[in-house]
Amino acid sequence: MKPKILISSLTGCSGCISTLLSLDIFPQFLERTKIIYFPFIMDVEEIEECDIALIEGCVSEDSQVNLLKKIRKQTKKVYSIGTCAGFGGILSLSKKRIAEPVSKYIEIDGVIPGCPPPSKLLGNCLIKLIENREIDVDIPKKNLCATCPLRGEAEENFQTKITQINPNPEEIIPVEEDTECFLKRGILCLGPITRDGCEHVCIKEGLPCEGCMGPVSKSFFSNTINFISLIHLSKKIRNYDGIFYRFSKPTFKR
Amino acid sequence: MLKIVDVCTRVEGHGKVKIYLDNKNEEITQATFEIEAYRGFEHILKHKKLCDLPKIISRICGLCHASQSIASCKTIENIYGIEPSEQSILVRKLLMTGELIKSHSLHFFFQAFPDLLRIFNIHQKILSPYAIIKNYPQLTTIFFELIKIGNEIDKIFGGRSVHPITVIPGGVIYNPSKKNITLARKYFQKVLMNLEVVIERFIELFSKKIPPEEFMIPNPIFLGMHNHGIFDRYSGILGFKEDNKKITNFIEKNYTNYFNKDIDLNGIDFSIGNNILVGPLARNHIVESYDIEEVSNFLSVFDKTWYKNILFTNFIRLLEMYVETFKALELLNDPLVNKNESLLSLTNIKNMDGIGVVEAPRGILLHHYHLNKENSIDQIKLFIATEINIPLINHMITNYAQKLYEKTDIDTIKKEIQLIIRAFDPCISCATH
Ligand code: SF4
Ligand code: SF4
């Protein structure tokens, strides 16, 4: 029996869905599954029983909570696709709207992170899911520094003065063998508190990490505090909004 | 007063149709296409650093992310009074072409094509992708490939297929290697071959038919960008025109003479009239030439009844992909495309207002940022294609719903009017910025 799939979007940009539709394996995915609900590409009415639900976008309205509960009830496994659904995403910057991860309202079986998730990662996960195998990407194992191509050996009493959050255009340099870690150059990089998996696309282009893959551990809040305690942020940066919660809302729950 | 609500399917994002009836349920007073859940980007972006804007703004839309970032960069460059290098402009254009291929193809294959088959009585019940795959295997293979290639092109030139990394205020930080130029060329050649097949198929299936009247646009005012009359989505001036009348041109800086908005209210106010249309069909009326010979041959196959019919947009989408791919191949041959140019520094603010415009796949996208005395952004206005088209959509679906109500029931009507909505290819993510 082909697994029955439901794909639904909450508040987001459809970038995750458009990534899914352009995957190499998307034709194969269609063939090996039975999509029963996917309003972006088909006419649908009611939510029926299904095996796997993929949710894009954050929760920003009451009606979405009801939809999620309905989905949870009818579905064997529910996954958050992308940083919005996984951790709140870009709307975390908003002071007016709520932007919550799906997991705040229903139990989920995993997160496929990224804004949007890298194609390879998403494709591999989907294949595993239709073969009824576990996806383990949601277990944050490493931060981005662990495999970073830049030079930045850990030093004792690592103290660095951060004065910039973006390099000036004329300072952007392509990565070479001995390019130094951004933090050492006084530029904020969120690598230490961001999960691995993006293949360092920004860093390779000469830009620091902004955290779009989401937090490296469930204790994002304390991790961030630890990180901030290790670096010295200039006053201007300290007063600037939305560096650390650009893609994830910190939870204060203990 | 009775109100009937239905959720739109096969459109990007969450939209609803609402049908309002009079007290006696005898007449439909109005039908509307409604989008809710505004995300408030115009508020979120206030007092953000200029360099951060393109990266945040691209998250408004996962389909026209490149257009959003590029419009944002052009706006910031206007504030600094700088012009990016030729090399940067070439890469930006290639990125926009990748985006156009993916966005138009997704819409055509999943959203428009099943409707066309139904409207022209070719196939009544092709509503799931499985049915298209079964009945149109060749087109399926072609469109999956087009979507994938659009995505790959953006990965090459944007550093990431959605939400580009390489586009920054002052230029782009990407210089394509010989290998990537060759790869991109192969991709574009493949796209051209595929599009030739699709365009022929489209002509064969639909060109001899008469498009239904309810899809005719009543007294449209077309608004779009052109570069000395030639199709160009990156640089040029704006123009609007009524059918058969002369075009009125203006530069983006003077947009407030024609339209404006209050960011706390929905919608855009136009002083030039109602029924403004932006997007592929509007561009088709605004430009004098696509600068490619084949295109006029393709267009001449259709008779005049098509020209002001919103269904014609579907054909124009295919043409636009064809034209841009053709031009992209020329851009790749330009020695400037991988010329090493240093990036411009962003030091002196020259203008307290920055305005930038591009033609996104769905039409005009204009950004306006205003700086206060501390050089911090205190006002942002984003003019987005779908938002511009909504009054016209509402006008057309109201007319159609009223006409249908004379002979059919509400349940049918709420499905039928969605055919019109989908033909516009609304992007609700964008419209709910
Ligand atoms: S995670 Fe990123 S790509 Fe996905 S919906 Fe959210 S903003 Fe768009
Ligand atoms: S802080 Fe950034 S640049 Fe430095 S090692 Fe970590 S990921 Fe790499």
Side-chain angles (χ1 to χ4, degrees), chain A residues 144-145 148 150 181-183 189 191-192 203:
Chain A
L144 202 55
C145 303
C148 181
L150 303 197
C181 163
F182 284 106
L183 294 177
C189 178
I203 288 169

Side-chain angles (χ1 to χ4, degrees), chain B residues 91-103:
Chain B
V91 171
R92 287 181 183 182
K93 284 185 171 174
L94 289 162
L95 189 59
M96 285 173 74
T97 300
E99 174 186 81
L100 185 91
I101 294 170
K102 179 168 153 187
S103 177

Side-chain angles (χ1 to χ4, degrees), chain A residues 12-16 56 82-84 90 114-116, chain B residues 59 163:
Chain A
C13 80
S14 297
C16 294
E56 169 203 68
T83 298
C84 289
I90 198 80
C115 181
Chain B
R59 263 85 188 187
H163 306 319

Side-chain angles (χ1 to χ4, degrees), chain A residues 11-17 19 56-58 81-85 88-90 114-117 212 247, chain B residues 39 58-62 162-163:
Chain A
T11 305
C13 80
S14 297
C16 294
I17 295 291
T19 302
E56 169 203 68
C58 68
I81 306 278
T83 298
C84 289
I90 198 80
C115 181
C212 79
F247 293 96
Chain B
R39 287 171 292 167
S58 93
R59 263 85 188 187
I60 288 177
C61 179
V162 177
H163 306 319

